[in-house]
Amino acid sequence: MRSDEEGIGLSPADEGTKTLSRRRWLQLTAGSSVGLALGSVVDVTEVRAATRDVKLANVTEHTTSCNFCSCGCGMIASVREGKLIAIEGDYDHVVNRGSLCAKGLSMFPTHASPLRNKVPRYRAPGSDHWEELSWDEAIDKIAKKLRKTRDESWIASEEVGGRTVPVHRTDAIAFMGGAQNTTEECYLFQKAMRLLGVVYVEHQARL
Ligand code: SF4
C-alpha cells in the first residue's frame, strides 16, 4: 500500500515498512471523523459559548496582588459562593500586564494545599514539635514578649557631644513590612513602631 495512493501521510515507523496497519489507519481517521460527525449535528461555536457561560456563572472577580515578592504583580482572583476557584495574572495591571512568574503561578495551589498553615503555631524553646494556639493566645504571647524585650533593652538617653540627650528607643526589636501592605497599613505600622521606640523599620523590597 502506498501512502500517496491513500492520501494519508505515514509516520517514520510506517515509512520504514511502507505499510499502513489497520490500527494505525483507525488512529489517523478517528479524530477527523468524530469532528465531522459532531459538526453536522451541533453548532460547535454555540456549544463553546455556552460552556464558557457555565464556567463563569456566579463568579465574581477581585483584583489583588501576589504576596511572594516585592514586585507586586497584579492578579485577578475568581470567587464562586465565597470560595476562591482560580487566580490569574491581571492584564490591566501596570506592573505585570497579565504575566506571572513560577512563584506567582503557584499561588492558587498554595492556597488550596491541605498543608497550608491556617492557625498560629508555637514551638517552645528546646521542643521538637509545634503546638497550635488560638489567635488570642498568640496575640497575648507576642504582646508579652514585645513588652519584656522592650523593657529589658530600653535606652532612655545617650551621650552625644558631651551632652546627655533623651533618645527613648530600643535596638532589640525590628519590624519588617511587605510589598503587599497598603499605604494605610504602612502608616499604622510606622505609628505603632515609633510609639514602641523601634527604629529599625524595614521593607521586604530593600532586601
Ligand atoms: S508573580 Fe513573581 S515576580 Fe510577580 S510578585 Fe509574584 S513572585 Fe514576584
Side-chain angles (χ1 to χ4, degrees):
M1 184 186 297
R2 284 178 45 206
S3 63
D4 54 353
E5 285 172 356
E6 300 296 317
I8 299 169
L10 296 179
S11 70
D14 298 324
E15 285 286 359
T17 58
K18 292 293 182 193
T19 61
L20 192 63
S21 68
R22 184 165 171 270
R23 173 188 287 270
R24 180 90 180 113
W25 184 84
L26 285 170
Q27 283 175 344
L28 290 167
T29 55
S32 55
S33 302
V34 169
L36 285 170
L38 269 179
S40 62
V41 292
V42 297
D43 184 332
V44 176
T45 310
E46 283 281 324
V47 169
R48 282 208 184 111
T51 310
R52 194 191 58 200
D53 287 346
V54 169
K55 208 170 159 189
L56 297 176
N58 302 322
V59 171
T60 53
E61 292 186 334
H62 306 268
T63 53
T64 183
S65 57
C66 175
N67 63 11
F68 282 132
C69 92
S70 55
C71 291
C73 294
M75 294 174 147
I76 295 179
S78 300
V79 176
R80 178 184 280 143
E81 293 170 5
K83 196 170 171 204
L84 184 65
I85 59 168
I87 296 182
E88 62 189 312
D90 183 351
Y91 285 88
D92 295 325
H93 199 278
V94 68
V95 170
N96 56 319
R97 297 288 185 208
S99 63
L100 295 174
C101 78
K103 285 182 292 175
L105 282 170
S106 68
M107 176 80 78
F108 184 73
T110 305
H111 164 83
S113 169
L115 299 175
R116 183 177 159 211
N117 195 20
K118 295 178 181 167
V119 294
R121 298 171 80 215
Y122 172 72
R123 193 175 74 178
S127 171
D128 63 353
H129 67 278
W130 294 85
E131 49 192 285
E132 290 187 1
L133 299 178
S134 71
W135 286 102
D136 283 344
E137 287 171 327
I139 291 169
D140 192 49
K141 197 175 268 296
I142 291 168
K144 283 183 178 150
K145 191 148 193 157
L146 201 58
R147 177 65 193 264
K148 183 170 181 293
T149 306
R150 181 179 182 265
D151 287 350
E152 289 174 355
S153 60
W154 188 249
I155 304 169
S157 60
E158 274 182 346
E159 292 293 318
V160 179
R163 283 192 311 129
T164 301
V165 294
V167 289
H168 300 306
R169 70 166 197 270
T170 169
D171 291 342
I173 302 171
F175 182 85
M176 173 73 75
Q180 289 69 36
N181 301 134
T182 64
T183 305
E184 292 78 11
E185 285 170 339
C186 290
Y187 175 83
L188 292 173
F189 292 156
Q190 282 284 0
K191 281 280 183 194
M193 290 306 110
R194 301 310 182 200
L195 279 169
L196 286 169
V198 174
V199 290
Y200 301 123
V201 178
E202 255 300 354
H203 188 274
Q204 156 215 2
R206 299 203 328 153
L207 296 180

